Amino acid sequence: MLKTNVFHHLQFFRRVRSQGIALGNRRLYSNTSGTSPLTRSHVVAWVLTASLTAGITGYKLGHIGASSTFTPYTAPGEKPRFGTPRDFQLAVVELKRAFASDSEDEGQVSTDPEELERHGFSMYDYHPSAFHNVVVYPRSTEDVVKIVNIARKYLMPVIPYSGGTSVEGHTRGHSTGGICVDMSQMDAIIEIHEQDSDLVCQPGCQWMAINEALQKKGIPLFFPLDPGPGATIGGMLSTGCSGTNAVRYGTARGEWFLNATVVLPSGEVIKTRSRARKSSAGFDLTKLFIGAEGTLGIVTEVTIRLAPVLPTTVAIVHFPDVKQATEAVTDALNQGVGIQCAELVDDRFMHATNLNGMSMRKWPERDSVFFKFQGPSPTALRDTAQVVKRVVERHGGFGFTLAKDEKEAGNLWADRKNALFSTLALVDDPNVRILGTDVCVPVSNLPQLILETKEDLVRNNILFTIVGHVGDGNFHAAILFTTPTERVAVVEAVHRLVERAIALDGTCTGEHGVGIGKKQYLRSELGKGTVQLMKRIKESVDPLGLFNPGKLYPDDEDDEHKA
């Protein structure tokens, strides 16, 4: 076997040297005439591919005994080759055998139909369901290594699963089947370093549970990234999440994840860096896995940075239109005062809030902004509120309402957080469903994007509400439908929305991630060279293509971004 693989790699590099290597349908290098010119993106892709491939080759030749079967690499650009149904049956048997002695209740490996359905279907999105062959619940990094080695032996796809709250089909099974690795039993807080303002935890920890635990222990720190309830640290890292606090604290792509322990497709365990607050030692490999959506490795431990808990209060103000609201928020943020959140909601949202009846008051049905202020003292909060009030009134804001106390602040903010239930109140039909999507553009382009999107949805008789993290140009459209025909119209409207955002120098997703639902747009947004480089990294780290296949990377047959 060793000779076979050495021969394979020698032949590959000889072919490169004599004939050139094809990048997609283009040739990077050739010693014959009449070839297309060498481009900088091709050079970058080739250099990185060669370097990573050489490293992986050396690693594989040194660790070829890691599993009983080793399959030669998939050639660059070639689709992965997975095992047969018989292979997968054998893999499930081996998984059950591997975990039988370690499991007190033998519940770590499940082929129960209800479990398979729960992990292959999501109530949060409308992508086609695809079930896994088996669900495995690891309890340690060593468990994950076992799973990966068995998957590699039988060429079986591996799909990580965390909180299950993603909306772009990240955890769907592969069409050939696969192993769903549910990290929910790895949910421990391992260490809290209060003096260093950081915390080490397993990937199944929910961010809300972490903040509750810190509060109960009397530690005045919190983790500020706040996506949807139920989201876990592993999923948040893997999708590059953010939330309402992004205006003040940024996103997952900032320095909130200091390091990660990761099981690679080879079965090797790495730690991306130390716990030091900053480092300039080599590549920032932590960020390689942020937003990789489980396609490069499975995260089994994370060190997260914490922030001080500060007093907060909430205000709401109304505007004649979205443009003036956006300009007011930008102006307010430039004052340098303590704004933690700035949430834009449209007039339809305010109508839905009134209709829902959960609010403590009736609101003017106008485009509005919910502010959350923060500061070290009540005086600082009042000063911030006064500055923001003056600014928004200069931009046509009216009805500025500041919470009188902590209870009222909670009630005001609840009106923003109840967006889902308020939107559902627009339709009195038990079959109503919501398709939620998000895009992000430079803040100055947000008014145009929202205006054109609303005109499009109204023109097509589609019910919706809009909520935007206006401080960073990210907005969500919650779109309603009740019939399959309406669903088709909604999906088409989302396609137009994404195209519109990209045309405005924006992104197809501000915080939901790519998964299945948005991968077709990456070439249009990032360019072919960038996508090709992403694929080369994937092929180098995961040469068998086993980790979360079919997600994130555009299919080769995609023509730009077909719906």
Side-chain angles (χ1 to χ4, degrees), residues 162-185:
S162 196
T165 61
S166 60
V167 298
E168 295 296 353
H170 296 88
T171 58
R172 287 294 194 276
H174 191 265
S175 58
T176 62
I179 304 169
C180 178
V181 185
D182 187 322
M183 309 299 286
S184 60
Q185 294 186 16

Side-chain angles (χ1 to χ4, degrees), residues 112-135 137 159-161 164 166 168-175 177-182 516 551:
D112 180 84
E114 290 186 2
E115 283 289 279
L116 300 181
E117 180 178 1
R118 181 170 70 86
H119 288 81
F121 167 82
S122 174
M123 62 179 290
Y124 298 106
D125 68 57
Y126 301 94
H127 304 298
S129 297
F131 297 166
H132 314 276
N133 292 88
V134 60
V135 179
Y137 295 87
I159 296 89
Y161 185 100
S166 60
E168 295 296 353
H170 296 88
T171 58
R172 287 294 194 276
H174 191 265
S175 58
I179 304 169
C180 178
V181 185
D182 187 322
I516 296 171
K551 318 292 171 49

Side-chain angles (χ1 to χ4, degrees), residues 102-164:
D102 298 335
S103 175
E104 296 178 358
D105 57 5
E106 297 186 359
Q108 282 187 262
V109 180
S110 176
T111 54
D112 180 84
E114 290 186 2
E115 283 289 279
L116 300 181
E117 180 178 1
R118 181 170 70 86
H119 288 81
F121 167 82
S122 174
M123 62 179 290
Y124 298 106
D125 68 57
Y126 301 94
H127 304 298
S129 297
F131 297 166
H132 314 276
N133 292 88
V134 60
V135 179
V136 187
Y137 295 87
R139 295 171 182 166
S140 66
T141 298
E142 292 72 22
D143 282 355
V144 176
V145 172
K146 285 184 190 177
I147 297 166
V148 170
N149 285 340
I150 291 171
R152 195 172 63 254
K153 177 179 177 180
Y154 293 99
L155 295 181
M156 196 168 184
V158 177
I159 296 89
Y161 185 100
S162 196

Side-chain angles (χ1 to χ4, degrees), residues 250-322:
T251 74
R253 298 180 189 273
E255 294 294 320
W256 295 106
F257 296 103
L258 293 179
N259 64 45
T261 299
V262 185
V263 178
L264 299 177
S266 65
E268 182 184 7
V269 180
I270 66 166
K271 188 171 183 177
T272 57
R273 53 169 281 192
S274 70
R275 197 166 57 83
R277 180 59 64 93
K278 65 179 183 178
S279 171
S280 60
F283 296 158
D284 187 349
L285 288 181
T286 308
K287 287 190 171 64
L288 180 65
F289 296 97
I290 295 176
E293 302 186 358
T295 64
L296 301 180
I298 298 177
V299 175
T300 60
E301 189 175 297
V302 185
T303 301
I304 59 176
R305 188 160 62 92
L306 305 175
V309 174
L310 295 174
T312 63
T313 191
V314 176
I316 183 172
V317 60
H318 316 288
F319 291 91
D321 55 49
V322 170

Side-chain angles (χ1 to χ4, degrees), residues 360-400:
M360 300 299 291
R361 62 183 74 197
K362 292 291 182 181
W363 294 109
E365 296 180 0
R366 307 295 295 270
D367 297 327
S368 305
V369 174
F370 286 86
F371 284 102
K372 182 179 284 188
F373 305 135
Q374 67 169 211
S377 66
T379 300
L381 291 176
R382 285 194 298 271
D383 289 345
T384 293
Q386 289 173 3
V387 170
V388 172
K389 184 174 185 293
R390 287 197 301 269
V391 169
V392 298
E393 288 176 348
R394 285 204 307 266
H395 293 273
F398 62 93
F400 185 91

Side-chain angles (χ1 to χ4, degrees), residues 3-19:
K3 291 181 179 179
T4 300
N5 284 284
V6 170
F7 176 77
H8 173 86
H9 293 296
L10 287 174
Q11 288 294 98
F12 175 75
F13 284 111
R14 284 171 182 162
R15 190 170 71 252
V16 169
R17 185 176 178 184
S18 64
Q19 299 176 358

